[in-house]
């Protein structure tokens, strides 16, 4: 059984067992604007690319990790992703 098939089999059982604890939101097939993680991804990409181009994969990774560590210290900024009208459902 593949991993995807395994999840497909267990997800309905998990949801039924924890119906009171889990809110399920069904999204259209391609809807990145509804996913809070996409707002984080865009923020990281923008901050990484605001600086001069990197010369190596290692430098790019260091820059991305640095941005993520900076965001980790700014919880209000991350909370603001959830204020977008398309994302308020997840707040």
């Amino acid at each position: 059984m593949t991993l995807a098939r395994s999840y497909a089999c267990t997800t309905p059982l998990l949801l039924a067992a924890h119906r009171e604890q889990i809110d399920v939101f069904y999204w259209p097939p391609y809807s990145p604007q509804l996913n809070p993680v996409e707002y984080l991804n865009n923020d990281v990409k923008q901050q990484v690319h605001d600086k001069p181009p990197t010369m190596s994969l290692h430098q790019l990774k260091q820059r991305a990790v640095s941005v993520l560590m900076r965001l980790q210290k700014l919880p209000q900024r991350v909370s603001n992703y959830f204020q977008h009208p398309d994302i308020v459902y997840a707040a």
Side-chain angles (χ1 to χ4, degrees):
M1 183 182 306
T2 65
L3 185 60
R5 185 173 177 154
S6 172
Y7 280 123
C9 295
T10 59
T11 300
L13 298 174
L14 180 70
L15 292 175
H18 300 279
R19 188 181 320 261
E20 306 298 322
Q21 300 165 307
I22 300 174
D23 291 327
V24 178
F25 299 97
Y26 295 96
W27 294 343
Y30 181 74
S31 51
Q33 74 281 6
L34 300 177
N35 188 347
V37 173
E38 294 296 336
Y39 290 80
L40 170 69
N41 291 342
N42 288 336
D43 200 1
V44 171
K45 283 186 219 177
Q46 183 177 357
Q47 290 187 53
V48 165
H49 294 299
D50 278 350
K51 297 182 178 179
T54 59
M55 296 299 156
S56 69
L57 186 57
H58 176 74
Q59 189 180 21
L60 178 61
K61 182 179 177 181
Q62 280 183 317
R63 191 175 292 174
V65 168
S66 173
V67 169
L68 287 167
M69 290 177 74
R70 193 173 325 118
L71 286 172
Q72 190 176 21
K73 296 174 186 170
L74 300 169
Q76 185 57 47
R77 183 174 180 135
V78 176
S79 292
N80 287 340
Y81 303 150
F82 293 89
Q83 302 309 311
H84 191 279
D86 289 334
I87 304 295
V88 181
Y89 76 90

